[in-house]
Amino acid sequence: MCAYSIGMIRYYNILREKVQKDRGTAIVFLSIVILLLDLVFRLIIGKNESQVVATYLWDGLVVGLAIGLAGVGLSLTYSILKFANFAHGDMITAGGFSGWVAVFAVAGVGKFDMKNLLLVGAGKPINVTELGISVSTTPVIILFGLVAAIVGTILLTLFIDRFVFRPMRHHNDGITLLIASIGIALALRYGLAFVFKTQNRGLTAASLTASYSVPVGTGSVQIDLGEITLVLVAIALMVSVHVFLQYSTLGKAMRAMADNRDLALITGIPTEKVVRATWIIGGALTGAAGFLITLERGTISFQFGWILLLFIFAAVIIGGIGSVYGAIAGGLVIGLTSTISLIWIPADLANVAVFSVMILVLLYKPEGLFKGVTTA
Amino acid sequence: MTLLNVKNLVAGYGDLRILEKVNIIVEEGEYVAIVGPNGAGKSTVMKSIFGLTKYIDGEIIYEGSDISKFPTEEIIKLGISYVPQNENVFPNLTVRENLELGGYTMKEGKEERIQELFDQFPMLQSKRNDKTYTLSGGQQQMVAMARALVLSPKLLMLDEPSAGLAPDLVKENFEYVDRIRESGTAILMVEQNAKEALRRCDRGYVLVQGEDRFSDTGEALLNDEHVKKEFLGG
């Protein structure tokens, strides 16, 4: 009994010392433990809690993968071209609209007036249900839209690189490129707003999109085909990027350039060609992300990419800027935080939770979760 | 036969002139060392040959043609490789990947060539799947040299290969260079460790303030009273 209490006192003293040394960490740790206990408690006694939590998990996964996929493109260009591309958000929007235009043109040709269909100028909006597009009913058109989004965004990024970034690249100055990218972001955004107007545009008809109930506990989780498409395509693209970077010669050259650009040049790697390849792959991922997010939401507006950009940057920073795997992990952290936090706080505060988590990660791991794993 | 003939080369960076009439000759398979005080422009000679500085005047004749205005990519294809002094490996790539990238421009025979280098430097084979940043300084230097050798260059330029190495590794490193030279590759080397470099090379140049002040066989330079007193520390 005596030995036992002496042992307890010793542990107590060690703990006390640690808490006194670093109160912040103690509070964070305690909060996490309390939240987890609370979650377990709710799952045990709550009636529909398992359904709610499962729904949050699924939604968090969907949002997280969307942000992660968008973040991979940003991270690639950051690590290889050495600047934070603020036009990335609006390139996502451009990707979404490329796919949207392609889908509407193919689905509505002959049935509707092309001017109304694409809303160039002040057209009459088309009823999406009337047009009848969804992953379930018109999968081929949706696939065509995805391809169009990818191709459209690649062409756009190559155009921007050729006429804006490339002439500036020789200054070797990240700040100049960054500021130029803000200019491109604004020009792109309001260019899109001029062409497509500022109101929300529908893409798919929610009533036509197949939805499945997956039983969880006493309830069930609703999963629709738009979300499933996003999850599957995003995972497939991420795995492809991984395989490409790890095993292809061009992928290795990209990693080499991320490591040391001058040495890449000295080694005989055609650096301009690698830069172009980076834009092509980054553009493809960005366009795909834009279209998949539009597909999942069912609607598109001229500034959705810009609004998303802050979350994408947060994801990339949490993961460790420049790391492709970090972008995916960071996207999942953000997506899951934004939904799981709803168990305890109102939806309006979800973003507070997201950015608090980002600040916590930066406090404890300033270099991000995937430290030193540049690009690969 | 003369492989490289640098004639009255003037070069620098931007408005800065570093080299004022440099003359250097490297015969096929020859081992040439450039020594001299800090700031003499030793590294700049190599960078200029490799197309990395601003060319101002003079000639760089390689195998009979003037390459002074060639871009780096072309110069590599002609059979010149260069190992810079610092940051000369890709740290986050494996040893094997470093060598694969060294042969980026090779159409065929890359695998065989890498295997040859693995046989020549067994350490590289045993560490081939390790990220290069986990290797010691001496080992990284070896990766850097092997990377430059994948293309089987006729001329290998080494910028201070022994800088920052522990004394016993310096000797080992010089022995590796000897071995590369024995395989027929001509070597142009800049060295801070002047005595050791001159002892091992065929010919040496003493570069002072952007000019080649003395040139002779390594042996002769080592015994030259003036060179000894001024540049080799007595």
Side-chain angles (χ1 to χ4, degrees):
Chain A
M1 181 64 202
C2 188
Y4 176 73
S5 55
I6 286 172
M8 283 294 283
I9 288 165
R10 198 196 301 137
Y11 282 122
Y12 172 76
N13 281 339
I14 291 171
L15 195 67
R16 205 175 98 125
E17 206 176 292
K18 278 202 170 158
V19 170
Q20 276 175 340
K21 238 202 231 150
D22 193 349
R23 284 192 192 178
T25 309
I27 291 168
V28 169
F29 187 71
L30 200 65
S31 313
I32 291 170
V33 169
I34 290 172
L35 286 179
L36 283 178
L37 285 175
D38 181 59
L39 185 59
V40 172
F41 186 64
R42 277 165 192 254
L43 282 173
I44 293 167
I45 63 144
K47 263 192 200 148
N48 285 320
E49 282 300 309
S50 57
Q51 176 188 339
V52 172
V53 173
T55 304
Y56 286 157
L57 277 176
W58 171 251
D59 289 348
L61 181 73
V62 171
V63 174
L65 283 175
I67 291 176
L69 184 63
V72 172
L74 184 67
S75 224
L76 265 184
T77 48
Y78 178 86
S79 58
I80 292 158
L81 309 170
K82 307 283 183 226
F83 81 101
N85 180 15
F86 271 76
H88 190 74
D90 297 288
M91 285 175 177
I92 292 173
T93 317
F97 271 113
S98 312
W100 181 87
V101 164
V103 166
F104 266 43
V106 171
V109 70
K111 281 191 270 181
F112 298 91
D113 177 22
M114 208 32 105
K115 212 175 144 213
N116 284 351
L117 206 57
L118 301 183
L119 274 156
V120 181
K124 219 177 81 205
I126 301 279
N127 186 324
V128 196
T129 317
E130 231 173 282
L131 196 61
I133 302 163
S134 77
V135 191
S136 322
T137 52
T138 57
V140 178
I141 295 181
I142 293 293
L143 184 67
F144 176 71
L146 180 64
V147 173
I150 290 173
V151 173
T153 315
I154 289 175
L155 293 178
L156 179 68
T157 51
L158 285 179
F159 177 82
I160 293 171
D161 182 58
R162 177 63 192 82
F163 292 103
V164 184
F165 293 138
R166 197 169 118 185
M168 292 179 188
R169 201 142 48 225
H170 306 291
H171 301 309
N172 225 347
D173 176 10
I175 296 291
T176 314
L177 290 168
L178 186 150
I179 292 183
S181 79
I182 295 176
I184 292 166
L186 287 162
L188 253 182
R189 191 175 325 144
Y190 292 101
L192 288 170
F194 178 77
V195 176
F196 298 106
K197 301 299 151 201
T198 53
Q199 63 265 50
N200 266 7
R201 301 263 159 256
L203 173 68
T204 51
S207 56
L208 293 176
T209 308
S211 180
Y212 310 95
S213 304
V214 180
V216 175
T218 51
S220 64
V221 179
Q222 286 292 320
I223 294 176
D224 81 41
L225 204 54
E227 295 171 329
I228 296 173
T229 311
L230 184 148
V231 169
L232 292 181
V233 177
I235 291 173
L237 286 175
M238 287 168 179
V239 171
S240 314
V241 170
H242 165 77
V243 170
F244 170 78
L245 284 175
Q246 281 303 318
Y247 303 108
S248 75
T249 308
L250 190 57
K252 286 171 191 170
M254 284 167 71
R255 285 192 287 138
M257 261 188 84
D259 254 12
N260 187 339
R261 196 182 167 140
D262 292 338
L263 185 61
L265 184 75
I266 288 169
T267 302
I269 295 170
T271 48
E272 270 303 317
K273 212 174 111 190
V274 177
V275 168
R276 218 175 307 134
T278 306
W279 279 121
I280 289 173
I281 292 158
L285 293 171
T286 310
F291 187 71
L292 288 170
I293 295 167
T294 307
L295 199 61
E296 187 260 321
R297 294 180 176 177
T299 61
I300 184 168
S301 91
F302 80 105
Q303 53 184 358
F304 88 94
W306 171 247
I307 294 168
L308 212 56
L309 185 65
L310 198 54
F311 293 93
I312 297 168
F313 267 122
V316 167
I317 289 166
I318 287 176
I321 194 148
S323 159
V324 166
Y325 307 130
I328 298 168
L332 287 174
V333 167
I334 286 194
L336 288 169
T337 308
S338 71
T339 54
I340 301 284
S341 63
L342 298 178
I343 294 172
W344 300 285
I345 57 173
D348 289 343
L349 285 178
N351 287 348
V352 177
V354 167
F355 287 99
S356 303
V357 167
M358 183 189 85
I359 292 167
L360 282 178
V361 170
L362 291 181
L363 279 174
Y364 289 98
K365 250 183 140 353
E367 65 288 337
L369 298 174
F370 281 67
K371 167 198 166 193
V373 198
T374 38
T375 322
Chain B
M1 216 191 108
T2 305
L3 185 63
L4 179 79
N5 190 352
V6 179
K7 285 189 210 163
N8 295 324
L9 180 65
V10 183
Y13 309 97
D15 293 334
L16 203 63
R17 283 159 77 106
I18 307 279
L19 302 182
E20 301 281 353
K21 302 213 168 167
V22 168
N23 293 278
I24 281 168
I25 290 176
V26 181
E27 304 288 339
E28 257 173 33
E30 200 184 19
Y31 183 174
V32 175
I34 304 175
V35 300
N38 281 330
K42 302 189 294 285
S43 299
T44 309
V45 173
M46 287 189 175
K47 287 183 187 161
S48 302
I49 295 168
F50 215 55
L52 297 171
T53 60
K54 190 180 160 203
Y55 164 83
I56 298 167
D57 198 22
E59 281 176 289
I60 304 171
I61 312 287
Y62 176 78
E63 291 194 310
S65 47
D66 190 354
I67 61 163
S68 56
K69 292 184 189 78
F70 280 29
T72 304
E73 271 175 57
E74 291 299 315
I75 295 169
I76 294 167
K77 282 183 197 151
L78 293 175
I80 302 181
S81 282
Y82 167 54
V83 181
Q85 183 186 347
N86 299 312
E87 298 187 357
N88 49 22
V89 293
F90 299 111
N92 290 303
L93 270 59
T94 65
V95 170
R96 205 196 145 76
E97 285 170 343
N98 265 273
L99 299 200
E100 281 172 25
L101 288 169
Y104 190 89
T105 50
M106 273 173 102
K107 294 276 181 306
E108 47 196 45
K110 197 201 291 189
E111 289 304 312
E112 292 79 2
R113 179 63 186 145
I114 290 174
Q115 194 51 51
E116 259 176 53
L117 289 164
F118 279 163
D119 295 341
Q120 207 175 345
F121 305 104
M123 184 284 294
L124 296 179
Q125 171 129 28
S126 62
K127 300 262 180 191
R128 66 187 181 281
N129 293 324
D130 293 7
K131 297 256 185 195
T132 310
Y133 72 84
T134 63
L135 272 58
S136 72
Q139 291 170 333
Q140 290 193 19
Q141 188 62 41
M142 216 187 285
V143 174
M145 287 201 276
R147 193 216 80 232
L149 285 171
V150 176
L151 291 173
S152 310
K154 288 178 196 148
L155 174 65
L156 177 67
M157 300 195 292
L158 301 170
D159 194 348
E160 306 222 4
S162 75
L165 297 184
D168 51 328
L169 287 177
V170 170
K171 190 164 170 275
E172 203 181 307
N173 201 274
F174 272 109
E175 276 160 14
Y176 283 127
V177 177
D178 286 349
R179 223 189 287 171
I180 294 167
R181 182 268 176 87
E182 275 158 26
S183 67
T185 308
I187 288 166
L188 180 61
M189 178 200 265
V190 161
E191 241 324 314
Q192 198 79 67
N193 199 333
K195 282 183 187 168
E196 188 69 31
L198 291 177
R199 208 167 290 142
R200 288 170 183 267
C201 71
D202 297 320
R203 278 184 320 108
Y205 289 87
V206 180
L207 203 69
V208 185
Q209 289 175 348
E211 280 178 62
D212 50 306
R213 202 61 71 75
F214 303 93
S215 90
D216 210 326
T217 62
E219 201 74 16
L221 284 175
L222 270 176
N223 295 321
D224 185 297
E225 283 307 319
H226 191 74
V227 172
K228 236 178 7 191
K229 214 169 83 191
E230 295 259 335
F231 307 108
L232 302 176

